[in-house]
Amino acid sequence: MKPIRVLAVDDDPDFQYLLEQTVGSQPDMELAAVCPDGVEACRAARRHCPDIVLMDLDLRNTGMDGAEAARTIRLETAARVIILTADDDPSTVIDASVHAFASGYVFKSQFTLLLPTIRETAAGSTPQS
């Protein structure tokens, strides 16, 4: 069985490292790339053809916010997007997820849900549905 290819997008170097270590340690996952901003994420998604994109919603000062980058990736590739956010307001996250055509979201405060959410989304179900 081929590994789930994951593209991670976050502008925080510490959280990038956490994503690299977490996803990279899974035998059924492969980290395709880590990007610090939405523009680079769109390029990387076209180049690496990930199955899943983990998109930080709040990409500060990067020229393209997470929701817009996720929407572009969904329109241009077959990747499914999971929104990652420190914002714990469900209505903000749901609105952004709908705008971005995201398959789901994970609050950074609930990081332990990330790996099961990646697997469920890659398998075809949408955890939030």
Side-chain angles (χ1 to χ4, degrees), residues 68-111:
E68 194 57 38
R71 183 180 179 91
T72 299
I73 289 168
R74 286 289 295 131
L75 291 171
E76 295 180 1
T77 74
R80 294 177 181 201
V81 173
I82 298 170
I83 298 290
L84 294 174
T85 184
D87 185 338
D88 58 357
D89 176 19
S91 64
T92 301
V93 176
I94 291 169
D95 289 346
S97 296
V98 168
H99 172 76
F101 305 122
S103 295
Y105 58 88
V106 173
F107 295 108
K108 289 182 178 181
S109 62
Q110 298 176 323
F111 192 79

Side-chain angles (χ1 to χ4, degrees), residues 105-120:
Y105 58 88
V106 173
F107 295 108
K108 289 182 178 181
S109 62
Q110 298 176 323
F111 192 79
T112 57
L113 299 175
L114 183 63
L115 294 175
T117 301
I118 291 170
R119 289 182 180 104
E120 288 174 35

